[in-house]
Amino acid sequence: MIRSFARTFHQRHRFDDLELDRWRAETSEATETDRFDLRHRERLFFWWAFAKGVVRFPMTVARSATNIWAFIADLERLHGAPRRAMRTGRGCVLDRATWLVNGSRIELGDYVKVSAFSALIAGFDARISIGNYTILGPGVFVVAANHGVAANGVPIRYQPWSERAVVIGDDVWIGANAVILPGTTIGSGAVIGAGTVVSGEVPAGAIVHQRRGSLVVRPRQ
C-alpha cells in the first residue's frame, strides 16, 4: 500500500520529467506558468526526497549492519578459522580473499604466497602440502577431495568425499586460475601455466601448460 501511494505520488507530480522541464525552462520553451509549476514541483521533490531519506535511514543502517555481520561471519568461516588451524612456516602470505577448507590438513612451508581468490580445499584426511618459496597466482584451486558421483539416488552434494593428498614441492610457480586435482604431486622448481588443469605427477623442474586442449610438458631452461 505504501509503495503504491509512493508510486502514484511520484507519477502525479511527474518527478521523472524534472530534468526535461528544467531544460525547457532554460531554453525559453516554457511559459511563465510552466516555470512556476516547475519551481513548485522542485520544492515538492526536495521534501519528498528528504522524507524518504528520513524513513529509509534506520532501515539502511540496520541492513548495512546485517550485511557487515554476514561478511565478517563468512570471512571467519572461510578464512579466519581454517587459517588459525593451518601449519605455516615463516613469512607466508595468504590474501584474505582466499577460501580455505579443513585448515588442520593444510601445511605450508616458509615464504609461501597464496594470491587472492585462490582456494585450498583439503580433505577430512587427505592433506595439502606446499613447499618453501612456492607461489600460487590469483584464482588457483588446489583440491584434495571430490564429491562422490555414484548413481545411488543420493544427491551428489551429500555423497561422501573421495580424497587423495596433494603435494607441491619447493619453489613452484602455479599460474592464475590453474586447478590442481586430488592425488597430484608437483616436483620442486616446476612451473604450471595459467589456466592449466593438473592431475597426476609433474616432474621437478618441468613447465606444464595447455596448448589447443593438449597438455604440454617441457623442462625449464
Side-chain angles (χ1 to χ4, degrees):
M1 182 176 178
I2 295 177
R3 287 187 177 181
S4 177
F5 168 77
R7 190 180 304 110
T8 302
F9 186 84
H10 195 278
Q11 293 173 348
R12 180 189 304 163
H13 296 283
R14 297 185 297 111
F15 289 150
D16 289 336
D17 296 334
L18 282 175
E19 292 293 335
L20 176 60
D21 292 340
R22 290 189 187 109
W23 173 80
R24 287 172 175 166
E26 290 174 358
T27 56
S28 301
E29 292 188 8
T31 65
E32 188 62 33
T33 302
D34 291 336
R35 292 191 181 92
F36 177 82
D37 180 66
L38 174 61
R39 288 193 294 270
H40 171 71
R41 286 163 53 217
E42 284 179 331
R43 288 193 296 269
L44 197 60
F45 179 75
F46 171 81
W47 289 110
W48 171 249
F50 179 80
K52 285 201 303 183
V54 170
V55 172
R56 288 180 175 178
F57 181 73
M59 294 186 291
T60 301
V61 171
R63 189 179 297 115
S64 298
T66 301
N67 291 339
I68 291 172
W69 176 255
F71 172 76
I72 293 173
D74 277 346
L75 185 63
E76 170 65 11
R77 177 175 61 88
L78 299 176
H79 184 90
R83 175 71 175 84
R84 291 191 295 273
M86 290 172 57
R87 295 179 59 187
T88 59
R90 296 171 298 165
C92 290
V93 176
L94 281 84
D95 287 342
R96 291 191 177 181
T98 54
W99 175 24
L100 306 171
V101 176
N102 294 329
S104 61
R105 297 297 179 183
I106 301 173
E107 182 176 353
L108 307 184
D110 295 334
Y111 303 104
V112 174
K113 172 69 165 67
V114 180
S115 300
F117 310 114
S118 294
L120 302 178
I121 305 175
F124 295 106
D125 296 311
R127 292 181 174 274
I128 294 175
S129 300
I130 300 178
N132 302 328
Y133 301 101
T134 288
I135 303 170
L136 273 63
V140 170
F141 272 59
V142 182
V143 186
N146 276 331
H147 285 285
V149 292
N152 56 9
V154 178
I156 291 175
R157 178 179 179 184
Y158 301 121
Q159 293 195 27
W161 281 7
S162 172
E163 302 185 7
R164 297 175 65 192
V166 174
V167 179
I168 301 173
D170 300 334
D171 191 29
V172 173
W173 177 22
I174 302 178
N177 298 316
V179 179
I180 313 302
L181 295 176
T184 299
T185 299
I186 300 177
S188 295
V191 176
I192 309 299
T196 303
V197 178
V198 181
S199 179
E201 186 169 348
V202 175
I207 296 177
V208 179
H209 62 94
Q210 287 180 312
R211 179 187 296 167
R212 300 188 183 93
S214 299
L215 202 63
V216 178
V217 181
R218 59 185 176 86
R220 286 175 62 184
Q221 301 296 325

